[in-house]
Amino acid sequence: MKKGIHPDYRPVVFRDPSVGYAFLTRSTVRTGRTVEWEDGNVYPLVDVDVSSESHPFYTGRGRVLDTAGRVERFNQRYGRS
């Protein structure tokens, strides 16, 4: 690999503030924020909107939104009861 053209690959903390979940991994993402991790070291911090702790697919707390009775219409048309 050529020197000086690749971004810095380092430990970074990703945090989902909606559920208070954070994990430490390696990344090349750039951020100006830092946080002190459980091991006492300071790492760059990236806040994410959705993680495996808050996404409905992983948590099993998904909702089916029924707009204008489409589910009922489908059930009537195809005989599901």
Side-chain angles (χ1 to χ4, degrees):
M1 294 191 326
K2 290 185 179 179
K3 300 267 187 215
I5 64 169
H6 299 285
D8 187 25
Y9 186 64
R10 66 201 187 290
V12 177
V13 174
F14 287 88
R15 179 177 63 187
D16 184 351
S18 65
V19 292
Y21 176 68
F23 59 95
L24 178 66
T25 187
R26 296 182 61 84
S27 178
T28 60
V29 68
R30 296 182 187 271
T31 181
R33 302 175 63 198
T34 60
V35 67
E36 185 173 342
W37 190 243
E38 300 161 354
D39 61 4
N41 294 325
V42 176
Y43 297 106
L45 173 68
V46 177
D47 282 331
V48 294
D49 295 331
V50 177
S51 69
S52 61
E53 292 294 313
S54 64
H55 193 281
F57 179 79
Y58 294 106
T59 61
R61 291 179 286 180
R63 297 186 310 240
V64 175
L65 298 177
D66 184 16
T67 306
R70 291 184 180 152
V71 172
E72 287 81 13
R73 211 171 330 134
F74 175 85
N75 289 338
Q76 288 174 353
R77 182 178 293 166
Y78 295 105
R80 294 182 83 185
S81 37

